[in-house]
């Protein structure tokens, strides 16, 4: 499934042929936004976006447009200098195609819209004062207070939100941070920013260009102010201050606490009601790097297959950030449970999947025949009580998926409606039932979502049930001559779930579409039914007909799991300021756990069986163990350039990442992309006689300089695994040691049903367990030993 990179001009020209076809219906001469990556000495970089309105002709000249292509005049939107080198400009397809052929132009691609990947978790993660990751008391000096987390999202809503108040003695803003807050519209920087919220900026030019008109400020704020809620939620999850007695209505009451409550927050608003544009994302990366953030949290990505790295503005911006020592954590996406759905899959990005915690909001369906089926809900209105009400199947009332304006009011009025998941928003289904006069809703999962349960603050008494219970309820409704039911809401329950964590069905999965030998996602973290701060500008359901406003909200997505890991990265950055982004990632990956609280392998809610490394990555983050991982797999940008060389990228395209004006030297490239010093292993066998060897280097970061580690191998089915040497003896002079791991088809394999086999390699010194997942993809099927 990996894309092979051909000659650079051919690749770029293909891009423009596709782009030209896509806009064939546009009027001749219509402009679109293009991102143009340039050599560092290109004269276009000297132009300021502030001067673009009156210097379109100058931009056309420095981009070497011939006379017949100088109209309409190109318009500069952004100039990039820190996370990337280039510009964003309004160009016609003909202008863009011509520019792509000019000297000093590295890559050109159209601006694309990305989508958002929509405080019990500190306890679930066992974050402890004893481990040194959390402050001892709310008045004490806050751990991670020297760290700034840059949150690229929908902005921030600090008005009346204690999550963004400096509740602990933070002291002055770190001297390494040079950013700040921008006043605009409804956002008053002097009133809202403080030693906790140290940065707030907004990026809208790509969005407005895509809209074709200015932002409607009656609907969204052209300022850092969050009118959607998503950015406020993610920022408070990563680094929110402690807030007592937080909750959504009467659900999840307790202390809300970000992962790194002592860290500072800098909010960069890149997402608007219609999406998040690459040009704005790259501008925010550029600004965050220049400001001096330490961690970047990005819960945004593609909704389809991951783009090629050289056309992926997130991958490019993240590379520039990592080059400056900034950890970049990003969501894997919500396109599961299909294969190859993970996005943000570049190896320099910490890619996060989503899983459950041991807290639920049970709401049971009680049928007229006495059967009781468990579900979940955050409904807070008047309950139905014990009286049984008639139940109807939505498919018999005009809309199986319960769309607005589609249900038959005569059939629905006064009844509980059984709706199926999919097609439209879950809360919108309940709104459709209410609109039609229904008394309540049972929302049943289909095969696609399996047993995944997501709680919502519905507008009618409603609950969600899994596929199995949904099928039983459907059978009852179809076969009983007078089916009835009620819903019983049971509040908040902690620690009584069958098992936790479990991987959410929506969580995007591997294998890695662009680099099959890099296992993605990297880790999983809490992302289901997460409580965090919310905007005062939108309802908890985020639908217009809901008039309610709340200080905290409970939502789900890899958008929620990403900031958990971003906050943990901030804690590790404070504890180990000399660690590289790769070392921080390695510590979180190799110490992750793979068993739930019942001692079984973490389950996949999409299948109901054990998850695999393509679903959970290295496992579920364990912050206390990550503080002292024993060994780390380190890498720098030179290693990532070697990885790109091994993928087949030509030096001229790699220059998009290096940005130094010189071609990358691929003469000494690794034998394969999997030779990158990555903590996990993923191999694709080309035949049933294949054998693959990878090289790794580990650095001892434990307190014992003379530690001795021995290898423990769990071989994937049908694979022989050998490690040389099998013992690593460290001392004062040899703090880093190399080893080789060989994966070979075992014996005489036969093709079987499974496409994949999984195992692990663990280095142990009796104190630390440094675990690496192993994933094997078989050619056209699977293999096992006879």
């Amino acid at each position: 499934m990996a894309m092979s990179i051909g000659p650079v001009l051919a690749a770029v020209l293909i891009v423009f042929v596709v782009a030209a076809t896509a806009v064939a219906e546009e009027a001749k001469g219509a402009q679109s936004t293009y991102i143009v990556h340039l050599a560092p000495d290109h004269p276009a970089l000297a132009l300021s976006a502030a001067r673009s309105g009156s210097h379109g002709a100058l931009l056309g000249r420095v981009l070497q447009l011939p006379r017949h292509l100088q109209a309409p005049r190109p318009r500069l939107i952004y100039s990039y200098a820190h996370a990337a080198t280039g510009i964003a400009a309004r160009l016609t397809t003909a202008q863009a195609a011509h520019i792509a052929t000019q000297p000093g132009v590295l890559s050109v691609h159209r601006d694309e819209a990305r989508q958002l990947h929509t405080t019990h978790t500190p306890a679930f993660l066992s974050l402890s004062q004893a481990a040194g990751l959390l402050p001892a008391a709310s008045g004490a000096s806050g751990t991670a207070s020297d760290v700034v987390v840059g949150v690229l999202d929908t902005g921030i809503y600090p008005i009346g939100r204690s999550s963004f108040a400096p509740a602990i003695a933070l002291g002055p803003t770190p001297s390494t941070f040079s950013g700040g807050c921008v006043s605009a519209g409804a956002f008053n920087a002097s009133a809202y920013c403080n030693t906790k919220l140290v940065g707030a900026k907004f990026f809208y030019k790509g969005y407005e260009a895509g809209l074709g008109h200015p932002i409607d400020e009656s609907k969204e704020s052209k300022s850092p102010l969050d009118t959607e809620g998503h950015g406020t939620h993610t920022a408070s999850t990563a680094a929110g201050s402690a807030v007592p007695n937080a909750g959504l209505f009467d659900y999840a009451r307790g202390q809300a606490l970000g992962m790194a409550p002592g860290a500072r927050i800098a909010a960069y608003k890149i997402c608007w009601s219609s999406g998040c544009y690459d040009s704005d994302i790259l501008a925010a990366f550029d600004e965050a790097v220049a400001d001096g953030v330490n961690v970047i949290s990005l819960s945004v990505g593609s909704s389809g297959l991951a783009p090629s790295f050289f056309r992926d503005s997130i991958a490019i911006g993240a590379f520039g950030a990592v080059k400056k020592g900034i950890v970049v954590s990003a969501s894997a996406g919500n396109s599961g449970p299909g294969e190859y759905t993970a996005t943000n899959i570049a190896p320099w990005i910490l890619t996060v999947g989503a899983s459950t915690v041991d807290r639920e909001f049970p709401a049971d369906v009680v049928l007229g025949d006495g059967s009781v089926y468990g579900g979940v809900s955050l409904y807070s209105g008047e309950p139905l009580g014990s009286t049984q009400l008639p139940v109807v199947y939505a498919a018999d009332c005009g809309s199986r998926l319960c769309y607005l304006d589609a249900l038959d009011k005569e059939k629905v009025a006064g009844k509980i409606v059984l709706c199926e998941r999919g097609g439209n928003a879950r809360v919108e289904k309940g709104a459709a039932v209410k609109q039609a006069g229904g008394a309540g809703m049972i929302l049943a999962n289909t095969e696609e979502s399996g047993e995944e349960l997501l709680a919502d603050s519905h507008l009618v008494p409603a609950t969600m049930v899994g596929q199995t219970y949904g099928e039983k309820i459907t059978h009852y409704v179809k076969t009983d001559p007078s089916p009835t039911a009620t819903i019983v809401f049971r509040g908040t329950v902690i620690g009584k779930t069958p098992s936790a964590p479990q991987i959410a069905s929506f969580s995007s999965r591997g294998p890695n579409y662009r680099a099959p030998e890099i296992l993605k996602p990297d880790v999983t973290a809490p992302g289901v039914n997460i409580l965090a701060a919310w905007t005062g500008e939108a309802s908890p359901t985020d639908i217009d007909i809901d008039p309610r406003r709340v200080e905290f909200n409970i939502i789900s997505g890899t958008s929620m799991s990403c900031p958990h890991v971003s906050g943990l990265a901030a804690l590790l950055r404070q504890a180990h300021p000399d660690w590289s982004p790769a070392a921080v990632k390695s510590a979180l990956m190799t110490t992750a756990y793979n068993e739930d609280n019942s001692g079984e392998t973490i389950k996949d809610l999409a299948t109901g069986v054990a998850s695999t490394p393509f679903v959970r990555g290295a496992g579920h983050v364990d912050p206390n163990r990550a503080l002292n991982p024993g060994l780390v797999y380190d890498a720098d940008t030179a290693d990532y350039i070697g990885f790109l060389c091994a993928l087949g990228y030509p030096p001229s395209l790699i220059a998009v990442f290096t940005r130094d004006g010189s071609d990358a030297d691929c003469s000494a490239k690794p034998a394969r992309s999997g030779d990158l010093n990555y903590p996990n292993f993923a191999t694709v066998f080309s035949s049933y006689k294949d054998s693959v060897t990878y090289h790794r280097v580990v650095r001892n970061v434990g307190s014992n300089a003379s530690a001795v580690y021995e290898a423990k191998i769990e071989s994937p089915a049908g694979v022989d695994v050998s490690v040389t040497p099998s013992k690593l003896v460290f001392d004062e002079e040899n703090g880093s040691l190399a080893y080789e791991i060989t994966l070979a088809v075992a014996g005489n394999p036969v093709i079987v049903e499974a496409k994949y086999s999984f195992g692990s390699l663990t280095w142990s010194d009796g104190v630390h367990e440094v675990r690496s997942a192993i994933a094997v993809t078989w050619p056209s099927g699977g293999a096992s030993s006879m």
Side-chain angles (χ1 to χ4, degrees):
M1 297 294 293
M3 189 189 82
S4 176
I5 302 297
V8 58
L9 284 180
V12 172
L13 287 175
I14 288 173
V15 170
F16 287 112
V17 170
V18 174
T21 303
V23 298
E25 70 281 4
E26 292 185 3
K28 184 177 180 181
Q31 291 182 322
S32 300
T33 304
Y34 287 84
I35 298 174
V36 183
H37 293 278
L38 301 168
D41 57 352
H42 197 285
L45 295 173
L47 297 177
S48 167
R51 300 166 54 199
S52 59
S54 59
H55 289 269
L58 177 58
L59 178 62
R61 288 197 294 274
V62 298
L63 292 175
Q64 301 182 44
L65 290 175
R67 184 179 298 275
H68 73 281
L69 290 179
Q70 289 187 8
R73 288 183 175 181
R75 179 164 63 89
L76 187 65
I77 292 180
Y78 289 116
S79 181
Y80 308 117
H82 303 286
T85 302
I87 61 171
R90 296 288 288 174
L91 304 166
T92 66
T93 54
Q95 289 170 337
H98 177 81
I99 290 168
T101 67
Q102 299 306 299
V105 176
L106 306 176
S107 175
V108 182
H109 59 87
R110 288 189 70 179
D111 201 6
E112 300 288 344
R114 309 294 185 101
Q115 300 300 320
L116 295 164
H117 289 151
T118 281
T119 332
H120 172 63
T121 45
F124 181 72
L125 289 168
S126 299
L127 275 172
S128 64
Q129 297 166 4
L133 287 173
L134 288 180
S138 61
S141 178
T143 300
S145 63
D146 294 332
V147 177
V148 179
V149 179
V151 182
L152 278 60
D153 212 293
T154 62
I156 196 161
Y157 190 88
I159 306 169
R161 297 298 182 260
S162 299
S163 296
F164 307 119
I168 55 179
L170 286 174
T173 301
S175 60
T176 55
F177 182 74
S178 60
C181 297
V182 175
S183 287
F187 193 89
N188 185 334
S190 61
Y192 302 153
C193 290
N194 48 49
T195 55
K196 179 66 174 180
L197 179 58
V198 297
K201 300 180 180 181
F202 63 109
F203 303 85
Y204 64 91
K205 295 177 182 177
Y207 175 59
E208 279 195 339
L211 288 177
H213 57 77
I215 291 170
D216 183 349
E217 296 191 58
S218 69
K219 296 181 178 179
E220 49 188 333
S221 177
K222 193 171 178 179
S223 77
L225 192 71
D226 179 15
T227 54
E228 305 289 327
H230 192 276
T232 301
H233 199 280
T234 57
S236 62
T237 299
S241 298
V243 182
N245 196 34
L248 173 62
F249 307 121
D250 289 328
Y251 291 101
R253 283 287 163 189
Q255 178 175 257
L257 185 70
M259 294 297 98
R264 322 303 178 104
I265 296 171
Y268 299 85
K269 185 174 180 178
I270 57 169
C271 294
W272 306 83
S273 61
S274 297
C276 325
Y277 280 75
D278 275 352
S279 56
D280 296 329
I281 294 172
L282 197 55
F285 264 111
D286 212 53
E287 192 80 3
V289 171
D291 287 347
V293 303
N294 306 102
V295 176
I296 288 177
S297 185
L298 182 75
S299 293
V300 174
S302 302
S303 55
L305 294 172
S308 301
F309 298 135
F310 77 94
R311 295 192 64 217
D312 184 350
S313 290
I314 293 176
I316 294 167
F319 190 99
V322 168
K323 190 174 183 179
K324 296 293 186 180
I326 301 168
V327 179
V328 179
S329 169
S331 49
N334 297 345
S335 299
E339 296 180 342
Y340 298 100
T341 51
T343 62
N344 299 322
I345 52 177
W348 46 88
I349 296 174
L350 179 49
T351 311
V352 188
S355 47
T356 64
V357 298
D358 62 345
R359 178 183 64 195
E360 287 194 335
F361 310 102
D364 298 339
V365 178
V366 182
L367 299 180
D369 64 2
S371 301
V372 179
Y373 297 111
V376 298
S377 180
L378 295 170
Y379 173 71
S380 63
E382 190 69 26
L384 291 177
S386 58
T387 302
Q388 292 275 314
L389 296 174
V391 185
V392 292
Y393 183 34
D396 298 327
C397 303
S399 176
R400 174 176 59 87
L401 298 177
C402 293
Y403 284 104
L404 287 167
D405 302 315
L407 291 171
D408 188 325
K409 293 183 179 181
E410 291 186 2
K411 294 181 178 180
V412 167
K415 300 180 178 66
I416 294 175
V417 183
L418 174 62
C419 304
E420 291 185 8
R421 184 174 173 182
N424 56 340
R426 301 182 302 274
V427 292
E428 185 179 288
K429 296 174 187 291
V433 171
K434 182 177 182 179
Q435 180 190 62
M441 177 182 70
I442 301 168
L443 178 56
N445 275 352
T446 59
E447 183 179 0
E448 182 178 0
S449 300
E451 301 308 313
E452 171 186 81
L453 299 180
L454 306 178
D456 295 297
S457 52
H458 292 283
L459 297 174
V460 294
T463 186
M464 169 186 274
V465 298
Q467 178 192 1
T468 301
Y469 287 170
E471 290 173 351
K472 291 181 178 181
I473 295 170
T474 302
H475 176 75
Y476 166 75
V477 173
K478 285 184 174 181
T479 58
D480 192 286
S482 300
T484 62
T486 190
I487 302 171
V488 180
F489 301 94
R490 303 193 184 279
T492 303
V493 175
I494 296 176
K496 295 183 180 180
T497 57
S499 62
Q502 299 184 59
I503 306 300
S505 298
F506 62 73
S507 187
S508 293
R509 294 110 194 280
N512 189 318
Y513 184 64
R514 295 295 175 185
E517 290 188 303
I518 301 297
L519 202 160
K520 289 285 183 173
D522 292 314
V523 292
T524 186
V528 177
N529 299 333
I530 303 302
L531 176 74
W534 195 248
T535 180
E537 298 290 322
S539 69
T541 59
D542 210 23
I543 57 177
D544 292 339
I545 61 174
D546 184 357
R548 299 172 298 175
R549 296 295 182 266
V550 296
E551 185 175 348
F552 289 87
N553 199 8
I554 296 173
I555 57 176
S556 301
T558 53
S559 280
M560 284 63 255
S561 57
C562 167
H564 278 88
V565 175
S566 304
L568 298 181
L571 294 174
L572 292 179
R573 169 66 78 211
Q574 179 78 19
H576 302 287
D578 58 330
W579 281 9
S580 70
V584 171
K585 179 199 287 192
S586 173
L588 288 165
M589 291 174 65
T590 61
T591 59
Y593 61 86
N594 289 271
E595 293 183 352
D596 61 28
N597 55 9
S598 69
E600 301 294 328
T601 300
I602 295 171
K603 290 184 175 61
D604 181 357
L605 283 168
T607 62
V609 300
S611 63
T612 73
F614 284 144
V615 176
R616 67 179 184 268
H620 192 284
V621 289
D622 186 336
N624 293 323
R625 289 186 61 215
L627 184 67
N628 182 21
L631 306 177
V632 295
Y633 293 80
D634 211 346
D636 58 20
T637 50
D639 296 304
Y640 297 133
I641 290 167
F643 158 81
L644 293 171
C645 288
L647 272 187
Y649 276 53
S652 52
L653 271 189
I654 296 175
V656 171
F657 299 91
T658 58
R659 303 169 38 238
D660 59 4
S662 61
D663 285 346
D665 181 6
C666 288
S667 61
K669 69 180 181 181
R672 44 197 316 136
S673 60
D675 264 334
L676 177 67
N677 202 41
Y678 214 69
N680 284 340
F681 300 93
T683 194
V684 181
F685 282 147
S686 59
S687 73
Y688 293 103
K689 297 181 180 179
D690 208 355
S691 176
V692 178
T693 298
Y694 296 114
H695 304 82
R696 293 291 189 270
V697 175
V698 287
R699 186 172 86 247
N700 182 14
V701 294
S703 58
N704 181 9
S706 301
V708 177
Y709 283 81
E710 294 189 8
K712 297 188 295 184
I713 299 169
E714 291 184 18
S715 296
V719 181
D720 286 333
V721 180
S722 60
V723 176
T724 305
S726 59
K727 180 182 290 187
L728 298 175
V729 181
F730 294 93
D731 57 36
E732 292 285 354
E733 295 183 359
N734 297 288
S736 295
L737 295 174
Y739 71 89
E740 294 182 352
I741 180 171
T742 299
L743 288 73
V745 177
N748 297 307
V750 294
I751 297 176
V752 294
E753 291 289 330
K755 294 188 292 185
Y756 312 111
S757 296
F758 304 99
S760 64
L761 164 65
T762 302
W763 290 101
S764 176
D765 66 346
V767 177
H768 306 93
E769 298 283 317
V770 186
R771 186 181 184 278
S772 297
I774 300 173
V776 172
T777 300
W778 295 95
S780 63
S784 64
S785 296
M786 295 182 65

